[in-house]
């Protein structure tokens, strides 16, 4: 005879409750980039899950170029692998127009949409409706080692020129002591080297396309800008510059191995943080350098969280992205990680916060850089596109990546600058013809 063991009523009730809770939990998959701000967001998973016990987070954290490739493939094929995507001001309007993103209207009142910076909000909207919520925003600026500049007797004007920067880099380049005169992005990718290179071309007076969408990559302005960039990094850059993107250069500068670095304003919090930076007490900053024109010399970007229309967990995804981009989240990071670590460039309230103002001497400067960048007027000669460091058309992702590889080849010496730009011109002409922009 088989005996049946009966659980006590209290144990049975608890088991049923646990089973019910497990059933009710929704797991959402978040695809994000391995930048420091997102790593902090991932580290606060427990805080979110405690406040939302019915939702768990599954993180996919990837290097920038890999992330973009994975997300673009997934959303274009409606693969449904992700419930939340970390994308930017380039993708949002293009993907929203195609119906790939969930509109983010009717956000809760306590989210305070009006607190979002207007330039950032506009960049993440399609037909007046947000289709992504900004996690952090940035422009670009110049960082430099004040100790090295003071020793050399160099005074930095309010608006440096690229000619001055080259001269300073030459004076301060000290490879025997592992200090490069300057660090700049060299890793190929439309959002890596070409984000910086596009602003350099802009300020040298160049543009990607004329008003009839003819590529201008072999123009004198491009030749001068890329020649300047290649010579500058080869003469005064760190070893292996063609492998360095944003994260790699940030690590070099923070460890004292660069005299000058021109890159994102969003890095300021980390390189001013003594627990993350060896040069926090020797740090100066200035506007991004200019050449022929100030137009387009500094970029405008926002990393944002969006919900693909293919996600079957829309409500849970919305709960997460409103939490991660909220004023309360910024305060949570400030209290747990320090105020220099909060995601910058998204909310007016961040810049009005006394704690942030005291911890971040660069705050107003970075905000002004973001507000003065104009994606609708970023080139000396008129251009048909919107964007400072990118061209706001679907084809640019492949064009920018291809051109970025050719610019990197010029940097490594595998091609001359002239050969690289002639190849880039031909490849871009073919792409634009296939896409119907050109006859």
């Amino acid at each position: 005879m088989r005996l049946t063991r009966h659980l006590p009523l209290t144990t049975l009730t608890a088991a049923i409750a646990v089973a019910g809770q497990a059933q009710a939990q929704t797991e959402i998959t978040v695809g994000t980039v391995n930048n420091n701000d997102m790593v902090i967001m991932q580290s606060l998973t427990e805080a979110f899950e405690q406040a939302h016990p019915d939702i768990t987070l599954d993180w996919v954290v990837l290097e920038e170029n890999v992330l973009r490739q994975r997300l673009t493939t997934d959303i274009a094929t409606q693969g449904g692998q992700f419930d939340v995507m970390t994308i930017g001001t380039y993708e949002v309007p293009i993907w929203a127009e195609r119906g790939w993103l969930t509109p983010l209207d009717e956000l809760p009142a306590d989210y305070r949409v009006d607190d979002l910076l207007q330039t950032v909000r506009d960049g993440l909207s399609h037909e007046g409706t947000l289709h992504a919520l900004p996690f952090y925003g940035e422009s670009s600026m110049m960082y430099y080692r004040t100790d090295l500049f003071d020793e050399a007797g160099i005074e930095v004007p309010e608006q440096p020129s690229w000619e001055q920067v080259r001269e300073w880099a030459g004076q301060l380049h000290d490879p025997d002591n592992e200090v490069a005169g300057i660090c700049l992005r060299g890793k190929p990718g439309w959002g890596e080297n070409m984000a910086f290179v596009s602003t350099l071309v802009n300020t040298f007076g160049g543009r990607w396309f004329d008003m009839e969408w003819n590529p201008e990559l072999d123009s004198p302005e491009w030749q001068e800008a890329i020649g300047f960039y290649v010579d500058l990094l080869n003469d005064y850059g760190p070893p292996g510059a063609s492998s360095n993107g944003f994260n790699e250069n940030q690590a070099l500068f923070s460890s004292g191995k660069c005299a000058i670095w021109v890159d994102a304003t969003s890095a300021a919090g980390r390189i001013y943080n003594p627990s993350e930076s060896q040069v926090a007490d020797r740090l100066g900053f200035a506007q991004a350098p200019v050449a022929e024109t100030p137009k387009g010399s500094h970029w405008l970007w926002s990393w944002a969280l969006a919900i693909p229309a293919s996600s079957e967990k829309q409500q849970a995804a919305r709960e997460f992205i409103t939490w991660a981009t909220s004023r309360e989240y910024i305060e949570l990071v400030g209290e747990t990680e320090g105020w220099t670590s909060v995601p910058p460039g998204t909310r007016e309230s961040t810049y009005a916060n006394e704690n942030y103002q005291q911890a971040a001497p660069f705050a107003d400067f970075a905000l002004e850089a973001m507000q003065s960048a104009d994606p609708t007027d970023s080139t000396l000669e008129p251009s048909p596109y919107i964007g400072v460091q990118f061209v706001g058309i679907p084809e640019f992702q492949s064009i920018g990546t291809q051109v970025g590889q050719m610019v990197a080849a010029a940097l490594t010496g595998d091609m001359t600058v002239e050969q690289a730009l002639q190849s880039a011109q031909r490849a871009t002409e073919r792409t634009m013809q296939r896409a119907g922009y050109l006859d």
Side-chain angles (χ1 to χ4, degrees), residues 18-207:
V18 170
Q21 185 181 30
Q23 269 189 333
Q25 278 197 331
T26 301
E27 182 181 79
I28 60 171
T29 301
V30 182
T32 196
V33 67
N34 64 343
N35 291 352
N36 192 69
D37 290 288
M38 285 70 172
V39 173
I40 291 173
M41 175 171 60
Q42 185 185 12
S43 76
L44 294 170
T45 294
E46 187 176 345
F48 173 78
E49 292 181 347
Q50 284 178 350
H52 303 81
D54 56 333
I55 303 172
T56 58
L57 303 177
D58 174 36
W59 292 91
V60 179
V61 183
L62 300 167
E63 186 270 331
E64 185 170 325
N65 288 338
V66 178
L67 175 81
R68 287 188 160 123
Q69 188 177 24
R70 282 277 301 275
L71 297 187
T72 301
T73 301
D74 186 68
I75 202 160
T77 60
Q78 297 187 346
Q81 293 181 36
F82 299 94
D83 302 296
V84 173
M85 292 183 163
T86 304
I87 57 177
T89 42
Y90 166 71
E91 294 97 343
V92 172
I94 294 170
W95 292 6
E97 186 177 14
R98 295 181 173 192
W100 292 351
L101 301 178
T102 299
L104 299 172
D105 47 9
E106 299 181 7
L107 291 163
D110 61 1
Y111 183 73
R112 306 177 184 88
V113 172
D114 291 344
D115 187 38
L116 299 176
L117 297 175
Q118 189 66 52
T119 51
V120 174
R121 207 187 323 167
D122 290 346
L124 300 176
S125 296
H126 173 62
E127 295 181 346
T129 299
L130 279 165
H131 282 72
L133 301 181
F135 184 67
Y136 75 77
E138 64 183 32
S139 184
S140 54
M141 66 191 211
M142 186 182 103
Y143 303 99
Y144 62 93
R145 290 264 306 274
T146 55
D147 57 332
L148 300 180
F149 273 63
D150 289 346
E151 286 170 16
I154 300 169
E155 290 190 18
V156 179
E158 186 177 337
Q159 176 59 77
S161 72
W162 274 111
E163 279 300 324
Q164 288 173 314
V165 168
R166 177 159 60 185
E167 184 180 329
W168 299 335
Q171 285 179 256
L172 301 175
H173 189 57
D174 186 7
D176 291 341
N177 289 302
E178 295 188 340
V179 176
I182 190 164
C183 291
L184 299 170
R185 297 188 189 191
K187 181 189 290 186
W190 72 265
E192 279 281 12
N193 64 341
M194 294 315 296
F196 168 75
V197 165
S198 292
T199 61
L200 187 69
V201 169
N202 290 340
T203 194
F204 270 81
R207 56 185 175 176

